[in-house]
Amino acid sequence: TLDSAMIKWRYPKAFSNLKQKYPQASEQEIIRAIRRSLLNGVASSSFHGTTVAGVIAANPQDNQGVYGVAPKAKILPVTAGLGQFSALNLIQSIGYAAFRGADIINLSLGSQIPNLPVIQSIQQLLQTNPNLVIVASSGNEYSDRLNYIAAIPGVIAVGATNMEGFRTSYSNYGSDPLYASKLTVVAPGGDFSSDHGDFGGVLTTGGTGQPLLMDGLNITGHWGSNWDLQGKYRWTTGTSFSAPIVSGVIALIKGEDKDNRLTRQDLIDILQKTASYDRLKLRDAETRFFNTAKPNNFNSPEEYFFGAGLVNAEAAVAEAKARLNK
């Protein structure tokens, strides 16, 4: 870990901004704040993909652990920068996954600010690969607009629900003002604010199980919600974890489609046809907001907040089998 002098030298802009925002703070308090930000936002985020991948394909060896949605799915781990996120890294990562023959690209990331090169590269990729499926999280900003990449037409946009069937407080909903794209479906995303506490979250893999990665590191304090737990499981929340549930369901469908006959649009149609609002609930405030705002292109408050509804793995696989057997 960096000492105080090195942090001040390496991150002068962050130091200056915090000093301006908190003029009464001491130099050491500002340095501690920068260190926490680095640990949580850079070092810890490097393990975010481990928790996402576990939702899809966790497969315990002794049959006593957690299973993912599609435990027989194969994971091609690709990172968009190990904490140093950039549009170029993202474009290269997505292109690499497609080049390697990935059927489904799960993107548990996003931004409310559109990036034209990223959008254009994904549009081109979808156009040239009609069977490729990209699944993206809607975002955690409690916003009535979808994050990019979820807002790009052709991408499956996934919001989050809690155990009671409500939209989680953080999950983005509605549509995108640029493309008018709508939420596709919702899936469990976890909610620690519910009466269930930690059990209200999504249980998934929490670490690499590789102690040598930590060799020589002085690990003290809280390193963030994604930090490597050395092979243990963790409870977590976010649309980052509702998206891989949907990716897992698509993997189950593709497991039935040995000849790759179903196109991306077929898969989207299956997800939306078999999703439902049966186990979902609207808050009174959400209904009132919809009836007052009357957002364009939405037939109901359920569609506005939940897309086509809660994804249903069993029904989706059955529908796929029926189509393939025709």
Side-chain angles (χ1 to χ4, degrees):
T1 56
L2 298 176
D3 60 27
S4 297
M6 186 62 72
I7 286 179
K8 186 177 179 180
W9 178 75
R10 287 280 300 273
Y11 303 97
K13 185 175 180 180
F15 188 92
S16 176
N17 289 342
L18 285 172
K19 187 62 178 176
Q20 184 175 5
K21 187 174 182 179
Y22 303 104
Q24 303 303 319
S26 69
E27 179 173 304
Q28 286 304 310
E29 287 173 331
I30 292 175
I31 288 172
R32 282 197 296 271
I34 295 173
R35 180 178 282 115
R36 284 196 300 270
S37 177
L38 291 172
L39 295 177
N40 290 326
V42 179
S44 176
S45 66
S46 300
F47 299 98
H48 181 256
T50 305
T51 57
V52 171
V55 173
I56 300 171
N59 192 356
Q61 300 302 305
D62 57 4
N63 294 321
Q64 295 182 16
V66 171
Y67 283 90
V69 176
K72 293 183 179 180
K74 293 181 179 179
I75 297 292
L76 174 67
V78 183
T79 179
L82 283 176
Q84 303 298 318
F85 177 83
S86 72
L88 178 59
N89 286 337
L90 180 58
I91 291 170
Q92 291 177 333
S93 298
I94 296 171
Y96 173 77
F99 175 76
R100 287 289 304 274
D103 296 309
I104 307 159
I105 298 177
N106 183 90
L107 294 170
S108 290
L109 50 83
S111 169
Q112 292 207 300
I113 302 174
N115 182 287
L116 187 57
V118 172
I119 293 172
Q120 289 175 335
S121 66
I122 289 178
Q123 288 175 327
Q124 182 177 4
L125 200 61
L126 291 175
Q127 183 176 0
T128 56
N129 298 272
N131 286 0
L132 175 65
V133 178
I134 297 179
V135 182
S137 49
S138 68
N140 303 328
E141 289 79 20
Y142 184 44
S143 172
D144 62 351
R145 55 181 294 181
L146 306 179
N147 270 358
Y148 297 90
I149 297 156
I152 299 174
V155 172
I156 295 174
V158 186
T161 59
N162 64 18
M163 291 183 69
E164 284 74 29
F166 292 104
R167 179 184 60 83
T168 61
S169 60
Y170 54 78
S171 181
N172 292 358
Y173 55 95
S175 64
D176 166 66
L178 182 59
Y179 293 107
S181 303
K182 298 180 180 181
L183 198 65
T184 309
V185 290
V186 292
D191 183 3
F192 291 150
S193 65
S194 70
D195 294 337
H196 303 284
D198 284 353
F199 295 103
V202 175
L203 184 60
T204 182
T205 48
T208 62
Q210 301 297 321
L212 290 178
L213 285 175
M214 307 298 125
D215 191 31
L217 287 179
N218 179 22
I219 303 173
T220 59
H222 181 60
W223 278 53
S225 59
N226 292 300
W227 185 245
D228 188 2
L229 293 183
Q230 294 296 287
K232 299 178 182 178
Y233 295 112
R234 72 153 26 100
W235 296 98
T236 190
T237 66
T239 56
S240 282
F241 308 103
S242 51
I245 287 177
V246 173
S247 292
V249 173
I250 297 170
L252 293 175
I253 295 173
K254 281 187 169 289
E256 302 294 333
D257 185 16
K258 305 301 183 183
D259 298 323
N260 210 25
R261 291 161 50 194
L262 298 173
T263 66
R264 175 175 58 254
Q265 191 55 54
D266 290 331
L267 294 168
I268 293 174
D269 290 343
I270 289 170
L271 286 177
Q272 292 181 314
K273 179 180 179 180
T274 57
S276 76
Y277 304 124
D278 291 347
R279 298 181 182 274
L280 299 178
K281 303 175 185 176
L282 286 167
R283 298 178 178 87
D284 291 340
E286 291 171 335
T287 303
R288 287 196 301 270
F289 175 82
F290 181 87
N291 291 335
T292 302
K294 300 187 185 309
N296 294 330
N297 303 319
F298 288 93
N299 298 314
S300 67
E302 287 83 3
E303 183 188 11
Y304 187 59
F305 289 104
F306 299 125
L310 184 65
V311 68
N312 186 323
E314 183 177 11
V317 171
E319 174 65 19
K321 287 182 176 179
R323 295 191 184 199
L324 292 168
N325 291 331
K326 283 184 178 180

